[in-house]
Amino acid sequence: MARALGAAEFVVRNFSDQIDSFQNVVTSLRRQIEVMPEEDRRHLEEASAVLRKVRAAAAPPALPVLPVPTVPARRSTDE
């Protein structure tokens, strides 16, 4: 998307680096799960399933309403 919008190369590189970092985290977590004892892995999978169900059932959070300050109108200099 950034390339399609003509973003500077450093912006595109930043996004690519972030994606690579997240992929490294996912790979590391998957390796850690693979070496877990079977019972621990089963408990983790059960907890993950429960969390997915809870998230799916939860209503989407309402967007916060940001306060908009009132700025007094400028008086004209001819008054």
Side-chain angles (χ1 to χ4, degrees):
M1 184 73 120
R3 281 193 179 103
L5 293 172
E9 184 56 35
F10 77 91
V11 174
V12 175
R13 188 173 48 251
N14 181 315
F15 287 139
S16 295
D17 290 347
Q18 287 183 45
I19 291 168
D20 291 343
S21 292
F22 281 113
Q23 287 175 332
N24 289 338
V25 169
V26 169
T27 300
S28 174
L29 290 173
R30 286 185 175 153
R31 285 184 188 139
Q32 290 177 34
I33 291 170
E34 286 175 2
V35 298
M36 288 176 89
E38 181 62 34
E39 185 177 355
D40 290 348
R41 192 174 355 176
R42 187 174 45 78
H43 287 299
L44 178 65
E45 289 169 357
E46 289 173 7
S48 296
V50 169
L51 285 174
R52 282 193 294 274
K53 287 179 185 177
V54 169
R55 286 182 185 154
L63 295 176
V65 178
L66 300 176
V68 178
T70 305
V71 178
R74 217 187 266 188
R75 294 185 178 191
S76 68
T77 55
D78 2 303
E79 288 181 23

